[in-house]
Amino acid sequence: MKIQHDSASGHVSGEAEYIDDRLPVAGEVFVDVFYSPVAHARIKSVDLSAASAVRGVLGIWDASALHENLWGSIFVDQPYLADKLVQYAGEAILVIAAESLEAIHLCKKAIRVEFEELKPILSVVEAIAAKAFIGPERTIACGDVGAALASAPNRLKGVIEMSGQDHFYLESQACIAYPREDGQVEVHSSSQHPTEVQHMVAEALGLKMNQVVVVVKRMGGGFGGKESQAGPFAVYAAMVALQLRRAARCVLTKDDDMRITGKRNPFHNFYEVGFDNDGRVLALKAELFSDGGAYADLSTAIMERAMLHLDNAYFIPNFRVSGQVCKTNTAPNTAFRGFGGPKGIVTIENIIEQIAEKLGRDAFDVRQLNVYQKGQQTPYGQEIDDSILPELYDRLRRSCDYDIRLTAALRHNASRSATWRGLSATAVKFGISFTTRHLNQGNALVNVHMDGTVQISSGATEMGQGVNTKLAQIAAEVLGLTMDDVRVMPTSTEKNHNTSATAASSGSDINGRAVEAACLEIRGRLSKVAAAVFARPVEMRGRKVAGAGTAPEIKIDNMPDVEMKFTGGMVASLKGESIALRDLILEAYLNRISLAGYGFYRYPGIFFNKETGQGRPFFYYTNGVACSEVSVDRLTGEVKVLRSDLIMDLGRTQIAGIDRGQVTGAFIQGMGWVTTEQLAYSDKGVLLTFSPSTYKIPNVQDIPREFNIELIENPLNARNVRGSKAVGEPPLMLAISVWTAIRNALFAAGRGPIQLRVPATQEQAALNLFPEARP
Amino acid sequence: MARDFISFYLNGKPVEVGGESVFQPLSSYLRYEQLKTGTKVVCAEGDCGACTVMVSRGGGDYVGVNSCIATVFLLDGASIVTVEGLRERDGSLCEIQSSMVRNFGGQCGFCTPGFVMALTDLFERKPVVTEKQVKNGLTGNLCRCTGYEPIVKAALDVDVRKHKRLRERYPVGAAASVGGPVLIESEGKVFFGAEELSAACQFKRDNPGTVIYSGATDLGVRFNKGHIRPTRFLSLNAVAGLRDCGVQSDEFFLGAKTSLHEFLVLMEKEIPQVAAFLNIFASPQIKNSATVVGNLANASPIADTTPVLMALDAQLDIEGVNGSRVVALRDFYLGYKKLDLAADEIIARVRFSRPSPSAVLGNYKVSQRRDLDISCVNASFHFDISGDVISVARISLGGVAPTTVRLAAVEKALAGKRLSRELVAAARHAIAGAIKPISDARGSSGFRTLMAQNLFEKYCAENFSL
């Protein structure tokens, strides 16, 4: 049977259930938050007299309703409800419960809060000046940067600025909390991290973790935005559920979601690079500053990954990077597909473009000159042991006809055409693992039912990436079943405990191995049962005698391991005896042999000392390369992506349709970050682009006119589950080739020094073509 | 005696709705009253297409509309099909759904029902589709997971022999209106569905603050975002004759209920330069609902049909209780969202003459994203050329002032001049002097001025090789 996404039928028929599709139960209430309209202020007074009187309003609560008001995934610094001080526009101050959404609308309009406005910090530059920082500065270094820079034949200095990016998951933050007996609460959340939601709800409400069950059936998209930031909404809903003893539904509108929740961190990266006359990078010194927003959230870990990806695919013998998260009065920024990776990678890829421009060389040549060779070491001390990047670049150069197209682009730019052409290739070498060691663990529960069907539960959450399908496939393969007989159950903290977020592209790796371990445990037991069954006459099988108790029970405790083949629903011994798996499972049940498996997995052999910046933080790397060609209108700056060619090494691809979808999806999402997704704020720090009418994610017309994707088999990656490689995040960073191609087109226009931010919007492009119109 | 309810068909079953329920968005009614939760709501502003449902009116074809911004009272007499109505009779997935499954067209699945409906709309109109048609048909839907590629593939992989059009499955004839005017009152709100334009004018005069709901593609958004809470609602859906559009002795007329889609179809036949421009703004769903007159009456300074019609010297036929009058579109806007329209008056139609054979039309827009994005600047240029002399010049710009404007001084300076590079340079200068745009989320003041100048230069380069 052809494999499909396990929810595909539900998706296309509208029957797949999301949080807000759950039928309301009797007495259920709506929950919403009242948030700050200003970026930085003291709360002088709150007047709820008119708001409380609105018909249908059941309660309005402030921070005092919570047992513990502070939370944080790394540093505990963020209030669930601002009390006395607000630090960003969109910060929640009050929780409202009402019988209807219209009552909530009227209630919010009737709330009177008086603010004493304070001067906000609204950019990285302002934060650096004010020394407003979050966490310590970290460093990664190798070689002697000072000496190498001093002696380098060529040097250049620069800064690259990048804006944030809204996740724009289609399903906004959503949860429903149901009060249960003995002070327990059951929360259904659209979250990538049920354990953290459970932890936050318990802590905020003064409950024990065993009083809180968090269930995640599926998300309508996550992309990192529901890794930490789903938690507060679950706290609000659970608080109301316990206060009112009624089910409580908190589903944000897209506008409010965009105003309240954090985004991809903006970065402001300073660099100085030394290189020889061929373009070989000799030394790189960089200072990375990120905009963490008002609270720490995951920003320090994101910065760490940015620093760990500043080298990207290139060997840099003398290297020093420092990273510092800044505190500003904007929404607390958070994980977003790629984490810090894109911010480090776009920096070095931009540097390579600049080196090529300065030397008058082709940037593809410069990249191939610098690409990591097997055995070289990264600045943080990890040896490149399975790099196939040089081969990928060679292959791309051939497969996309780079040299022919380069000549054509140069000819085009010399003509009187209405557009400029740009052509550029970039790479990604993305480290797989959480850089925080203890997060690299997972567990799975596999239940085999007596009819021969299987239910799997793990800590992995399904957000569209197809992890459930991959887990089902692993179980089906190990047990020799068809996918029809395997079902992946909603993720729940009562089945899988202390799980990590489904993040860092590791969901299928870690949970896949745990599922595999659980299934192997069951298969081991079933193999022994099979051996015992084969040794008995058919009439003595449990199916015939268990009820009567006339035959001795099969005991496997002291049996040695035996090897059986599990395929196509049959179990066979090496001698050729066989039994249907269904029958064997029933035999096991009737002989009181456990049909459940519990699997546990951790990535082996990884360590990273955050203070020295040295170690082996990554289990392996997922690698890829891409070449993009763009046209830029000479008068309007309008950008069109004409063609993108991608080559990715995904080890042994498990389910091609799913992996391919991750590649196309991540690439286009990355393209949005580097082209049209411009967040705009008022001069007082209030977000102006809070809906798709002003915030432009890519549309179907924006995808490359020609889009070639090649997934190559790399049998060398035996260390990961089924020889596969993580795919969720890495292709996003290949979209950086679109940005460098735009830079390349603007360079061709020859209108002076290029000042290009991320995203390279049409306005950015036009102002590089007409620098005289710059403000 | 007016009816106090509306009626429509939902997935083939007749439904009557009255009272408070008719004042909500169709998507809310479907999700919370009919428990048809396959229809998703994401943006609540008609920008993402997740809420797309198919609607047939007056026996016409089923077309996709955004249910989040369609108010229930507008559905009187319609036939609606939601994603729940797509499965075949035997319960199996329909061919469009199957193709989406085969091609991994859904990932998180939240946008998927909307895409399935948008594809249904596409195949309802065209039996076989090309990649270009697929992309044009999907501009009204956003997906954040797939990168669209698998969805485009799914569309191209639909086996048309297995596909059945909706109008064969859910007869549209059955959905004819029960007729007569409709008057529904609830909690201080009044909806009047007029059958006669005179009755509509009277209602508007007698009920200050009346809002005419046509496609509601902007009003629905403003309601959803809490910006407006009108209490008097008027629909002209059932007024005879207002849907008419066409051309008579070289004069085009578009009745107040002419949709952007109908305008597009007319222009494809008559003035391809205008059709090409209509193609790059507004999604299929919006085009199916929004009306040309609504776009003009909404008075946004960045409305996309306004510069086009202003450069065509369009006129408005305005009806009131005491008779009718004609106003030139260029004189219709008195200030930001201020119209030359009395309390009892309603725009009945817009008219414009066929451009002369020597006219050269150029319509442009600049926006952050190429398709389906609100303009930062839009422009319409219209020169009549004899030899290489400009006999008439018309320049209309949006996004550079509180209303769409005609640059009368620049036009005057250009009229009678010979086309030349020097003239283009001088006009660039004059354009910059004639406008004073603001800076906002869609673009800075300097960028807008640059674009107004460059679009003019682009028009000259494209049409006169200057």
Side-chain angles (χ1 to χ4, degrees), chain A residues 72-344:
Chain A
S73 302
I74 299 172
F75 302 100
V76 179
D77 66 341
Q78 180 170 0
Y80 289 106
L81 293 170
D83 181 21
K84 298 188 186 74
L85 184 70
V86 291
Q87 302 204 58
Y88 74 95
E91 182 166 10
I93 300 171
L94 299 162
V95 172
I96 304 161
E99 282 167 347
S100 71
L101 291 172
E102 189 61 17
I104 285 192
H105 170 72
L106 297 173
C107 175
K108 280 166 136 177
K109 288 193 129 175
I111 289 171
R112 296 279 167 269
V113 180
E114 220 186 321
F115 296 100
E116 179 194 336
E117 287 197 49
L118 306 169
K119 189 175 158 28
I121 293 176
L122 296 174
S123 70
V124 167
V125 174
E126 286 174 36
I128 295 171
K131 294 200 163 50
F133 297 135
I134 292 171
E137 183 191 76
R138 302 272 198 209
T139 308
I140 295 171
C142 71
D144 185 343
V145 175
L149 273 177
S151 64
N154 305 285
R155 271 195 301 278
L156 61 85
K157 254 178 143 159
V159 57
I160 179 167
E161 285 176 63
M162 51 207 90
S163 303
Q165 181 183 25
D166 189 85
H167 302 83
F168 209 86
Y169 28 67
L170 276 271
E171 182 200 32
S172 296
Q173 301 279 358
C175 60
I176 306 180
Y178 301 94
R180 299 293 188 224
E181 61 189 54
D182 292 336
Q184 297 175 82
V185 62
E186 181 179 317
V187 180
H188 290 250
S189 167
S190 180
S191 163
Q192 292 170 242
H193 200 345
T195 290
E196 185 161 26
V197 173
Q198 175 197 22
H199 179 229
M200 286 163 73
V201 168
E203 208 169 71
L205 304 184
L207 302 174
K208 296 172 185 166
M209 281 178 83
N210 70 2
Q211 290 177 288
V212 182
V213 173
V214 175
V215 183
V216 178
K217 168 69 184 157
R218 63 165 61 79
M219 280 162 272
F223 315 118
K226 295 172 180 170
E227 183 170 344
S228 62
Q229 301 211 349
F233 306 100
V235 167
Y236 307 145
M239 188 262 283
V240 170
L242 293 184
Q243 290 267 356
L244 299 179
R245 304 289 311 154
R246 290 164 80 161
R249 177 179 304 231
C250 182
V251 176
L252 296 194
T253 62
K254 184 48 71 192
D255 295 27
D256 282 349
D257 184 298
M258 290 185 74
R259 288 179 173 121
I260 296 171
T261 64
K263 306 172 191 324
R264 188 186 287 287
N265 298 79
F267 268 64
H268 204 99
N269 298 342
F270 300 89
Y271 53 83
E272 184 172 7
V273 62
F275 49 99
D276 70 15
N277 292 329
D278 293 330
R280 199 171 280 109
V281 180
L282 304 172
L284 175 63
K285 190 170 93 178
E287 292 174 283
L288 276 45
F289 292 92
S290 73
D291 181 345
Y295 302 105
D297 200 275
L298 297 165
S299 289
T300 49
I302 294 163
M303 172 56 81
E304 184 173 86
R305 185 166 280 265
M307 294 160 68
L308 288 166
H309 284 75
L310 183 63
D311 60 332
N312 193 28
Y314 311 107
F315 175 65
I316 304 171
N318 301 287
F319 181 100
R320 186 180 191 284
V321 58
S322 65
Q324 175 66 61
V325 178
C326 298
K327 182 177 164 82
T328 66
N329 295 105
T330 57
N333 292 314
T334 191
F336 194 146
R337 205 174 195 169
F339 221 50
K343 295 82 153 179

Side-chain angles (χ1 to χ4, degrees), chain B residues 45-68:
Chain B
E45 59 181 20
D47 232 86
C48 74
C51 67
T52 305
V53 298
M54 299 294 288
V55 174
S56 158
R57 291 173 195 278
D61 278 344
Y62 279 98
V63 297
V65 305
N66 293 308
S67 64
C68 72

Side-chain angles (χ1 to χ4, degrees), chain B residues 14-41:
Chain B
V15 182
E16 288 183 358
V17 192
E20 191 61 18
S21 292
V22 305
F23 293 96
Q24 65 186 325
L26 176 59
S27 56
S28 302
Y29 171 78
L30 292 172
R31 288 180 57 79
Y32 307 126
E33 294 195 26
Q34 289 285 345
L35 306 182
K36 300 211 175 305
T37 54
T39 299
K40 307 297 180 201
V41 174

Side-chain angles (χ1 to χ4, degrees), chain A residues 632-669:
Chain A
V632 178
D633 188 287
R634 292 191 187 191
L635 285 167
T636 65
E638 182 180 276
V639 172
K640 286 179 188 158
V641 183
L642 304 177
R643 175 172 165 180
S644 291
D645 293 73
L646 280 61
I647 304 181
M648 297 245 11
D649 156 29
L650 297 181
R652 220 186 98 204
T653 292
Q654 294 303 290
I655 304 169
I658 283 179
D659 284 347
R660 218 186 131 83
Q662 288 296 295
V663 174
T664 54
F667 184 85
I668 299 303
Q669 201 170 64

Side-chain angles (χ1 to χ4, degrees), chain A residues 344-602:
Chain A
I345 293 175
V346 76
T347 304
I348 185 68
E349 295 291 1
N350 177 57
I351 288 171
I352 301 235
E353 288 292 319
Q354 281 188 290
I355 291 173
E357 288 165 10
K358 182 152 182 195
L359 296 176
R361 292 202 56 176
D362 181 57
F364 205 127
D365 294 337
V366 177
R367 289 189 165 88
Q368 286 184 301
L369 189 66
N370 285 289
V371 71
Y372 271 118
Q373 305 293 329
K374 187 173 156 64
Q376 285 177 328
Q377 270 204 351
T378 64
Y380 46 88
Q382 178 155 354
E383 190 184 312
I384 305 297
D385 55 5
D386 71 343
S387 173
I388 60 161
L389 280 161
E391 190 188 320
L392 291 181
Y393 262 139
D394 286 342
R395 192 181 177 107
L396 178 69
R397 193 160 188 146
R398 283 193 310 274
S399 70
C400 81
D401 293 324
Y402 180 81
D403 295 283
I404 296 168
R405 287 165 61 211
L406 178 64
T407 310
L410 293 174
R411 199 178 310 127
H412 178 95
N413 288 336
S415 75
R416 261 197 82 196
S417 163
T419 58
W420 301 105
R421 286 280 172 87
L423 183 66
S424 182
T426 61
V428 62
K429 168 185 120 292
F430 196 74
I432 304 300
S433 299
F434 290 96
T435 54
T436 300
R437 185 177 56 202
H438 70 262
L439 300 177
N440 296 291
Q441 59 175 318
N443 63 77
L445 174 68
V446 175
N447 287 332
V448 178
H449 294 274
M450 66 172 94
D451 69 348
T453 61
V454 175
Q455 289 178 324
I456 297 173
S457 308
S458 83
T461 54
E462 175 65 50
M463 61 195 98
Q465 82 280 39
V467 66
N468 283 358
T469 315
K470 288 186 172 181
L471 297 185
Q473 191 199 32
I474 289 167
E477 272 186 34
V478 174
L479 295 173
L481 286 166
T482 64
M483 298 277 278
D484 277 353
D485 286 330
V486 183
R487 188 167 282 279
V488 180
M489 305 309 290
T491 313
S492 165
T493 57
E494 65 182 325
K495 286 177 292 178
N496 299 97
H497 59 300
N498 308 332
T499 58
S500 294
T502 306
S505 303
S506 65
S508 303
D509 285 17
I510 293 175
N511 295 289
R513 277 285 200 204
V515 165
E516 184 183 55
C519 291
L520 286 171
E521 186 187 317
I522 296 166
R523 190 171 81 176
R525 268 185 247 123
L526 284 174
S527 298
K528 292 178 188 175
V529 176
V533 167
F534 293 149
R536 286 182 173 187
V538 172
E539 57 275 15
M540 272 181 70
R541 289 198 180 165
R543 192 155 45 89
K544 305 204 179 219
V545 302
T550 51
E553 200 170 46
I554 290 172
K555 299 249 188 286
I556 61 167
D557 298 349
N558 299 317
M559 271 172 79
D561 287 342
V562 285
E563 200 187 329
M564 295 278 167
K565 267 196 243 160
F566 286 66
T567 49
M570 297 299 291
V571 178
S573 71
L574 301 179
K575 284 188 283 181
E577 303 140 310
S578 72
I579 181 171
L581 179 60
R582 250 165 226 260
D583 294 340
L584 178 60
I585 285 165
L586 186 61
E587 288 298 314
Y589 167 70
L590 294 172
N591 285 286
R592 295 192 296 171
I593 307 294
S594 166
L595 283 166
Y598 172 80
F600 180 81
Y601 181 68
R602 57 182 182 220

Side-chain angles (χ1 to χ4, degrees), chain A residues 140-141 308 377-383 605-618 621:
Chain A
I140 295 171
L308 288 166
Q377 270 204 351
T378 64
Y380 46 88
Q382 178 155 354
E383 190 184 312
I606 51 173
F607 59 97
F608 181 64
N609 184 326
K610 291 171 191 278
E611 287 183 6
T612 63
Q614 293 293 311
R616 186 184 197 289
F618 302 120
Y621 296 101

